[in-house]
Amino acid sequence: MAVSTGQVKAAGGAARGSRRDSPGRLRRSIATHWYAWAMIAPVLIVMAALIGWPLVRGLYLSLTDATEANIGRTIGVNVIPATYEFVGLDNYLQILTSSVFWDKLLWTVVWTAACVVLHYGIGLGLAVMLNRKLRFRSLYRVLLILPWAVPAFVAAFIWRYLYNSDYGVINGFLKMAGLTGVGWLDDPTTAKIAVIAVNVWIGVPFMMVALLGGLQSIPAELYEAAEVDGAGPWQRFRAITLPGLRQVSTTVVLLGTIWTFNMFPIIFLVTRGGPGSETEILVTYAFREAFTGIRNYSGSAAWGVIILAMLVVMAVGYRRTLRSQGDPW
């Protein structure tokens, strides 16, 4: 179909006019919705102060050689100026070329994958169970949500006591059964299993509640129609339940991955990163760099920036994969 030159010019002029009007559109939006902007302004200011400034400061420190010995500080009336220097990407190169980083990254990935898979699998099973008509269903829901209501540091201290080799409740039951007690936190393998179990105990209720909400949003008519057509329980689960939970599942899996990747209190309070440093994940190791021994603030900041970069790349890649599969999330 032929298009006249005048129409092409008009279309081009409209496009250029649209680009020129973009700032005007923003000003009109602010003028029209000034109340909404005013309501979110305090939140933006607080986030900039609590998140933005520390992030910028950490990024700057990661490019220096700042340690406890050369950072500026005040002792009484004496002000000692900072003497650290800009070193560029040296901290990043040192971290990425060290075996410690790759060892901690491997364990962090294993820890995150194991916890998220168990969170989702157990949470989905409990959600399916609670979505049925059961006696005392409300009581079961309350009891299963309790671990989520307990603060992480309290749960960590409770489980550390349960795992105690001499006085722990778990070893007490084993001895009552005529078995030998286990040094749960003394061996690298059992210590890793122990912290995974604690994190699963804490994280399953969130998955269960989120997936239960997703299950209750699936129309019951779909199950009835499938049952009439002769579909069995497994076929209904695979063809109706899993697709119906797709949007909820993608969100909770992403959140669970980010939370577990950065789950500092469980590792630090249950095993202290031990035995040795076998259960240290990336975030606990970054903490130790900054707050133990000769405090290496620049190295810890570089670890933090690397962790943030990995999570951002993972989240962006995850979203792009979902969009390529037709998910609107």
Side-chain angles (χ1 to χ4, degrees):
M1 180 181 294
V3 180
S4 67
T5 305
Q7 289 176 323
V8 173
K9 291 182 177 180
R16 289 192 295 272
S18 177
R19 287 194 293 268
R20 287 195 299 269
D21 289 345
S22 295
R25 214 180 294 130
L26 177 61
R27 285 195 295 268
R28 285 196 300 272
S29 175
I30 296 175
T32 305
H33 307 290
W34 66 268
Y35 184 78
W37 287 100
M39 292 294 289
I40 66 172
V43 178
L44 294 177
I45 294 172
V46 171
M47 290 184 64
L50 298 182
I51 299 176
W53 166 244
L55 181 61
V56 172
R57 176 66 174 172
L59 181 60
Y60 168 72
L61 285 178
S62 71
L63 302 174
T64 68
D65 62 351
T67 65
E68 186 180 21
N70 58 23
I71 200 165
R73 56 199 180 277
T74 302
I75 303 176
V77 296
N78 300 315
V79 178
I80 302 176
T83 57
Y84 58 82
E85 299 177 351
F86 181 82
V87 296
L89 300 177
D90 287 356
N91 290 318
Y92 296 97
L93 293 175
Q94 183 178 357
I95 292 171
L96 295 175
T97 55
S98 68
S99 60
V100 174
F101 170 77
W102 297 105
D103 289 342
K104 301 309 174 192
L105 177 61
L106 176 61
W107 162 234
T108 302
V109 171
V110 171
W111 146 268
T112 302
C115 288
V116 172
V117 168
L118 290 172
H119 284 165
Y120 187 84
I122 299 174
L124 179 58
L126 293 173
V128 170
M129 181 187 72
L130 293 178
N131 195 41
R132 298 177 178 178
K133 294 181 179 179
L134 298 173
R135 292 186 62 186
F136 308 114
R137 184 171 61 175
S138 298
L139 177 62
Y140 295 150
R141 288 182 181 179
V142 172
L143 293 177
L144 290 171
I145 289 173
L146 280 179
W148 191 28
V150 177
F153 71 92
V154 174
F157 285 128
I158 293 173
W159 278 94
R160 184 174 176 82
Y161 171 74
L162 293 176
Y163 285 134
N164 187 277
S165 300
D166 300 320
Y167 311 107
V169 175
I170 297 176
N171 277 351
F173 282 123
L174 291 176
K175 292 175 182 178
M176 288 173 59
L179 301 175
T180 305
V182 178
W184 295 102
L185 305 181
D186 302 328
D187 179 76
T189 302
T190 56
K192 290 177 179 179
I193 294 173
V195 292
I196 288 174
V198 175
N199 196 53
V200 168
W201 182 80
I202 291 175
V204 161
F206 167 75
M207 287 287 184
M208 180 194 71
V209 172
L211 294 173
L212 180 59
L215 286 173
Q216 292 176 345
S217 68
I218 300 175
E221 293 80 5
L222 295 178
Y223 292 101
E224 295 171 359
E227 190 172 0
V228 170
D229 290 339
W234 171 246
Q235 291 174 315
R236 294 196 297 270
F237 178 79
R238 189 179 59 182
I240 299 175
T241 303
L242 290 181
L245 290 175
R246 181 180 176 83
Q247 291 190 6
V248 175
S249 297
T250 54
T251 302
V252 295
V253 167
L254 178 60
L255 291 176
T257 300
I258 294 173
W259 292 341
T260 305
F261 199 89
N262 288 323
M263 183 54 74
F264 174 85
I266 300 303
I267 299 292
F268 188 77
L269 296 177
V270 174
T271 64
R272 304 288 196 273
S277 62
E278 291 293 327
T279 57
E280 292 267 26
I281 58 176
L282 293 176
V283 291
T284 58
Y285 192 86
F287 172 85
R288 289 192 182 279
E289 282 283 287
F291 296 103
T292 60
I294 298 178
R295 301 179 176 182
N296 185 4
Y297 300 122
S298 59
S300 178
W303 277 83
V305 172
I306 291 172
I307 293 169
L308 176 62
M310 287 191 295
L311 289 174
V312 170
V313 170
M314 185 273 296
V316 171
Y318 186 69
R319 289 189 62 183
R320 287 186 175 179
T321 301
L322 294 177
R323 286 183 177 177
S324 67
Q325 296 174 357
D327 197 313
W329 187 80

